[in-house]
Amino acid sequence: MAKLEGKVLVAQGGGPTAVINQSVAGVVLEAREFPQVTHVYGALHGVNGIINENFVDLTVVATSNLEAMANTPSSGLLSTRDKPDEKYCAKIFEVCKKHNIHYFFYCGGNDSADTCNIVNKQAEKVGYDLRVIHVPKTIDNDLQVTDHCPGYGSAAKFVAQAFAGANLDNRAIPGVYIGVVMGRHAGFLTAASALGRKYEDDGPHLIYLPERPLTLEKFGNDVKAVYEKYGRCVVAVSEGVENEKGESIAAQFTKGEVDSHGNVQLSGTGALGDMLAEYIKENTEIKRVRADTLGYLQRSFLGCVSRTDQEEARAVGEKAVYYALRDNVDGSVSIKRTGDYAVSYTLTPLTEVAGLTKKMPDAYINEAGNDVTDAFLRYARPLAGVLPEFQLLDAPKVDTSAQK
Amino acid sequence: MAKLEGKVLVAQGGGPTAVINQSVAGVVLEAREFPQVTHVYGALHGVNGIINENFVDLTVVATSNLEAMANTPSSGLLSTRDKPDEKYCAKIFEVCKKHNIHYFFYCGGNDSADTCNIVNKQAEKVGYDLRVIHVPKTIDNDLQVTDHCPGYGSAAKFVAQAFAGANLDNRAIPGVYIGVVMGRHAGFLTAASALGRKYEDDGPHLIYLPERPLTLEKFGNDVKAVYEKYGRCVVAVSEGVENEKGESIAAQFTKGEVDSHGNVQLSGTGALGDMLAEYIKENTEIKRVRADTLGYLQRSFLGCVSRTDQEEARAVGEKAVYYALRDNVDGSVSIKRTGDYAVSYTLTPLTEVAGLTKKMPDAYINEAGNDVTDAFLRYARPLAGVLPEFQLLDAPKVDTSAQK
């Protein structure tokens, strides 16, 4: 048990998810139980809220409000894209010392893990006693070590339901439908579009991931082949798809806008989908081609949550507190799959997660590089959880030649 | 009671909705009860399925399958954009006579009502006894006479949940968020973005409808004013917004692609949102500007249905059967609001609905032309039904000046 008396600080960084507030609720509700914790502070807008001393007192927040916030999508403590450097970290310690903060929990992706790692190293360097725990979240599902990331399951559910519906729509009024899905480097979320397939000819019929290069020629030929077979075609494309030189195809449309982590803007524009649709219109005989970019709904849509994801997001927050306040250690909370489907939680050194990206394993991608495998479906199904039921009409065709 | 023995034919036209199959289930399950009905046929792909005798026999479809299909979004009998002319209608009669079809139910919007009207007139002209009932549906909610259209409530719920989530996302990582919503001539669906507002500063802060001209200058000034007040801005824009000359702003990006009803393509591209985002980036100091186009998810997303909408969509299908098979009359089924909230159903002459469009009443639009009124919220809330709960964190700010 960490005996160091002081304050707990919790914050959220990076892109929001549907369940990131579950993790904060987990941290706050558990931390408030420990006698050495004098206060639980929340920093607003991530590390930015620390250096600006923009704190709220979570010690006195009603449990009912925390529980209601836990069920609310997007970061309740607000977020940031700031990436602390040495100077930024020096300011963080100054503020932590002033407020007697000795336990820091940061919910975020690999950029936030990187922040945790830098802060942790700085703390060691100057001899300030600070437990730092990275609480994982990301809809991209691209963190190292952990089997999967809280936030992914709910986003996967949204994408699956979106494509299941788009596929039914495409049946009704045939043509080519292209849906662009979030995911900077890893295709996990785009791959989730396959989870809504039920009937043999259900789309998406083609799935393009950042893990495999995409040429317009291959894309056009694939679409033509599907269209010839089914008279229609549903395509899922990751916003992170790259050409054969490893260059982002979407980035050319966003004028190279980058955030402080050096990430080029990919989302918030329909340009990639529009370009792909235009290519099909100009290079095939197919007339009806439509492109949607699923956009920010994937991570924030109100009311689309995987129950498993919800529970795990809560658990990683709770576990984070036990690691810091009982075991007095730093690290990143990871999820280990221990059954079908069951998980346990472990602690991973920050250096093994910080700034690193996991890609889809080869076993999850088909040979042609335009679909997922059954292994991926088995991996992802329990994470997205139960999808709403749908059923096609099962009616016999009328033999009109036999009609009187 | 119509004594004419023969077949019932049901079909679906135009854009799918989340509840259009409820109406088909209502028609089929009720029609099968009438002794003068020899068979219930479904035409695949609307009127196109009639002239091609592309029929399925709904008489023998399991009730459980019909019920499951009723809960499935998008047109279970598939759809069409065909608009019958005189020659097309002559072919329809030929097929109807051959198959002894005397009752025709067509689920669709104002274009489908127009089809019903043409078919009905043609039937009278050639003396063929054919009851024709238009069963209303449209997410645009732009049919005349009826208080609202089946399909609108569920789409409104989707749009409300999308903007409620996008607003929470925009709180977490501030900037300007622009969401483009479907609706060719009427702003009802875009207006539904306001249904997810709960807190005083919740977005969408600006709502632009086809009913009011949009100039880029006004748009830019409005966004700047909101951004100065809240440090962020969420905007809902209809894909159907027009400039001061009454020209579609989106249509200039889709190269004038038109369907057989003369409708210019507005959906299936992110160009309008991207253009508006670009304008803000170039004409203000605001750096983070993102645009999403909600696209086909609005009408087909699996698992987002208003219960009221579901029930009413079933009822209009059932009522259609009673009008044709009990009362032996033609027309379009309309919904009349008889309480807060209660409805009854009436029959409207096809000519009062066919091809006509209803716009948002002035009372539903604020004076500045950039938001909806409370009157609209009262109108639309019962249609979208209950939205998922969400709650902001209610935590006191820490007074850091008083800190030891």
Side-chain angles (χ1 to χ4, degrees):
Chain A
M1 178 90 65
K3 293 292 179 201
L4 197 61
E5 193 178 282
K7 295 194 179 78
V8 161
L9 179 64
V10 60
Q12 296 169 310
T17 82
V19 296
I20 191 168
N21 295 329
Q22 289 285 352
S23 298
V24 168
V27 168
V28 176
L29 290 169
E30 290 305 305
R32 296 201 299 201
E33 300 293 317
F34 283 78
Q36 70 268 47
V37 173
T38 58
H39 286 86
V40 180
Y41 278 7
L44 299 183
H45 290 296
V47 284
N48 186 274
I50 305 178
I51 62 166
N52 291 312
E53 298 179 72
N54 193 3
F55 294 141
V56 288
D57 189 357
L58 302 172
T59 326
V60 295
V61 170
T63 301
S64 59
N65 178 236
L66 282 171
E67 290 292 357
M69 185 199 65
N71 285 313
T72 298
S74 187
S75 318
L77 289 170
L78 312 177
S79 196
T80 182
R81 294 285 185 189
D82 281 10
K83 177 176 174 142
D85 57 12
E86 303 274 323
K87 198 178 154 195
Y88 202 114
C89 286
K91 178 70 180 159
I92 288 176
F93 305 137
E94 198 182 296
V95 175
C96 282
K97 278 178 195 158
K98 178 180 169 193
H99 291 273
N100 201 30
I101 291 162
H102 286 286
Y103 307 96
F104 175 39
F105 301 91
Y106 203 23
C107 307
N110 47 22
D111 288 336
S112 299
D114 197 27
T115 297
C116 285
N117 191 38
I118 295 172
V119 170
N120 195 35
K121 279 182 179 161
Q122 284 281 331
E124 280 172 25
K125 202 170 162 186
V126 303
Y128 184 79
D129 205 349
L130 185 67
R131 295 283 67 73
V132 180
I133 305 272
H134 169 238
V135 184
K137 77 82 211 167
T138 160
I139 64 166
D140 288 1
N141 200 40
D142 61 354
L143 295 184
Q144 284 288 350
V145 186
T146 191
D147 176 76
H148 59 276
C149 305
Y152 171 65
S154 298
K157 185 170 194 274
F158 180 89
V159 169
Q161 292 180 205
F163 275 89
N167 174 62
L168 290 164
D169 198 286
N170 184 258
R171 271 186 194 282
I173 306 184
V176 174
Y177 176 85
I178 300 163
V180 179
V181 183
M182 278 186 171
R184 187 170 296 279
H185 303 295
F188 290 102
L189 192 56
T190 306
S193 60
L195 295 174
R197 293 196 292 223
K198 178 172 169 176
Y199 296 90
E200 184 274 333
D201 60 342
D202 270 348
H205 309 96
L206 298 167
I207 300 175
Y208 297 106
L209 310 161
E211 285 81 0
R212 296 288 182 270
L214 181 66
T215 65
L216 287 173
E217 198 188 348
K218 176 183 163 57
F219 171 69
N221 290 336
D222 283 357
V223 169
K224 266 187 277 187
V226 171
Y227 197 86
E228 274 165 28
K229 188 174 178 189
Y230 296 121
R232 64 189 192 92
C233 182
V234 176
V235 187
V237 186
S238 168
E239 63 176 12
V241 284
E242 296 177 346
N243 63 22
E244 283 178 311
K245 294 176 196 160
E247 298 161 344
S248 161
I249 296 173
Q252 62 182 286
F253 302 109
T254 55
K255 301 185 177 177
E257 185 182 329
V258 295
D259 68 15
S260 60
H261 295 260
N263 298 321
V264 176
Q265 183 203 339
L266 298 180
S267 302
T269 162
L272 175 62
D274 288 351
M275 184 273 283
L276 294 173
E278 205 54 47
Y279 182 83
I280 297 299
K281 279 184 193 171
E282 282 174 7
N283 292 278
T284 71
E285 301 293 303
I286 307 167
K287 280 177 184 164
R288 190 173 183 276
V289 187
R290 300 289 186 266
D292 276 345
T293 302
L294 272 58
Y296 292 91
L297 276 52
Q298 295 164 88
R299 69 187 197 194
S300 65
F301 188 77
L302 183 68
C304 185
V305 172
S306 150
R307 188 167 166 178
T308 301
D309 192 26
Q310 219 168 13
E311 290 171 356
E312 292 177 355
R314 173 66 70 107
V316 293
E318 295 170 338
K319 285 285 182 174
V321 167
Y322 308 152
Y323 287 122
L325 283 148
R326 284 190 186 279
D327 303 345
N328 202 25
V329 288
D330 308 302
S332 175
V333 181
S334 296
I335 301 174
K336 193 177 169 182
R337 193 181 296 229
T338 57
D340 183 18
Y341 174 81
V343 298
S344 68
Y345 300 88
T346 59
L347 195 69
T348 302
L350 287 168
T351 49
E352 290 182 24
V353 180
L356 300 171
T357 304
K358 182 166 72 181
K359 297 199 170 238
M360 291 256 288
D362 288 343
Y364 291 175
I365 307 171
N366 76 340
E367 212 172 319
N370 59 14
D371 204 346
V372 298
T373 60
D374 284 352
F376 170 77
L377 297 176
R378 279 198 301 278
Y379 164 79
R381 274 217 175 100
L383 312 182
V386 182
L387 303 181
E389 257 303 313
F390 65 97
Q391 217 173 96
L392 296 180
L393 182 67
D394 179 28
K397 289 278 278 187
V398 173
D399 180 1
T400 50
S401 65
Q403 210 70 30
K404 62 163 181 177
Chain B
M1 179 89 68
K3 293 292 178 198
L4 198 61
E5 193 178 283
K7 295 195 179 79
V8 161
L9 178 65
V10 59
Q12 296 169 310
T17 81
V19 296
I20 192 169
N21 294 329
Q22 289 286 352
S23 299
V24 168
V27 167
V28 176
L29 290 169
E30 290 305 305
R32 296 200 301 200
E33 299 293 317
F34 283 77
Q36 71 267 47
V37 173
T38 58
H39 286 86
V40 179
Y41 276 9
L44 299 182
H45 291 296
V47 284
N48 186 275
I50 306 178
I51 61 166
N52 292 312
E53 297 178 71
N54 193 1
F55 294 140
V56 288
D57 188 357
L58 303 172
T59 325
V60 295
V61 170
T63 300
S64 59
N65 178 236
L66 281 171
E67 290 291 356
M69 184 199 67
N71 285 312
T72 298
S74 188
S75 318
L77 289 170
L78 313 177
S79 196
T80 183
R81 293 285 186 191
D82 281 8
K83 180 178 173 138
D85 56 12
E86 303 273 323
K87 197 178 154 195
Y88 203 115
C89 286
K91 178 71 179 157
I92 289 177
F93 304 136
E94 199 181 296
V95 174
C96 282
K97 276 178 200 162
K98 177 181 171 191
H99 291 273
N100 200 31
I101 291 162
H102 285 286
Y103 307 96
F104 174 39
F105 300 91
Y106 203 25
C107 307
N110 46 21
D111 287 337
S112 299
D114 197 27
T115 297
C116 285
N117 191 36
I118 295 172
V119 170
N120 196 35
K121 279 182 179 161
Q122 284 280 332
E124 280 173 25
K125 203 169 161 187
V126 302
Y128 184 78
D129 206 349
L130 184 68
R131 295 282 67 74
V132 180
I133 305 273
H134 168 240
V135 184
K137 77 81 213 170
T138 161
I139 64 166
D140 288 0
N141 200 40
D142 61 354
L143 295 185
Q144 283 289 351
V145 186
T146 191
D147 176 77
H148 58 278
C149 306
Y152 171 66
S154 297
K157 186 171 193 275
F158 180 89
V159 169
Q161 291 179 207
F163 274 88
N167 174 63
L168 290 163
D169 198 285
N170 184 258
R171 272 186 194 281
I173 305 183
V176 173
Y177 177 85
I178 300 163
V180 179
V181 182
M182 278 186 173
R184 186 171 297 278
H185 302 296
F188 289 103
L189 192 56
T190 306
S193 60
L195 295 173
R197 292 196 293 222
K198 177 172 169 174
Y199 296 90
E200 183 274 333
D201 60 341
D202 271 347
H205 308 97
L206 298 167
I207 300 175
Y208 297 106
L209 310 162
E211 285 80 0
R212 296 288 181 272
L214 181 66
T215 66
L216 287 173
E217 199 188 348
K218 175 184 164 58
F219 171 68
N221 290 337
D222 284 356
V223 169
K224 266 188 277 187
V226 170
Y227 197 86
E228 273 164 30
K229 187 174 178 188
Y230 295 121
R232 65 189 191 91
C233 182
V234 176
V235 187
V237 186
S238 168
E239 64 176 10
V241 284
E242 296 177 347
N243 63 21
E244 283 178 313
K245 294 177 198 161
E247 298 161 344
S248 159
I249 296 173
Q252 62 183 287
F253 301 110
T254 55
K255 301 184 177 176
E257 185 181 331
V258 294
D259 68 13
S260 61
H261 295 260
N263 298 321
V264 176
Q265 184 202 338
L266 299 180
S267 301
T269 164
L272 175 63
D274 288 353
M275 185 273 282
L276 294 173
E278 207 52 49
Y279 182 84
I280 297 298
K281 280 184 194 172
E282 283 174 6
N283 292 279
T284 71
E285 302 293 302
I286 306 167
K287 281 176 184 164
R288 190 172 183 278
V289 187
R290 299 291 186 266
D292 276 345
T293 302
L294 273 59
Y296 291 92
L297 277 52
Q298 295 164 88
R299 69 186 196 193
S300 65
F301 188 77
L302 184 68
C304 186
V305 172
S306 151
R307 189 167 166 179
T308 300
D309 192 26
Q310 221 167 12
E311 290 171 355
E312 292 176 355
R314 174 66 71 107
V316 294
E318 294 170 338
K319 285 287 182 173
V321 168
Y322 308 152
Y323 288 122
L325 283 147
R326 284 191 185 276
D327 302 345
N328 202 25
V329 288
D330 309 303
S332 175
V333 181
S334 298
I335 301 174
K336 192 176 170 183
R337 194 180 294 229
T338 57
D340 184 17
Y341 174 81
V343 297
S344 68
Y345 301 88
T346 59
L347 195 69
T348 300
L350 287 168
T351 49
E352 290 183 22
V353 180
L356 301 171
T357 304
K358 183 166 72 183
K359 298 201 167 235
M360 290 256 288
D362 289 344
Y364 290 176
I365 308 171
N366 76 341
E367 212 171 320
N370 59 14
D371 204 346
V372 299
T373 61
D374 285 351
F376 170 76
L377 297 176
R378 280 198 301 277
Y379 164 80
R381 275 216 174 101
L383 312 183
V386 182
L387 303 181
E389 257 303 311
F390 65 98
Q391 217 172 96
L392 295 181
L393 182 67
D394 178 28
K397 289 279 278 186
V398 173
D399 180 1
T400 50
S401 66
Q403 211 70 28
K404 60 164 183 178

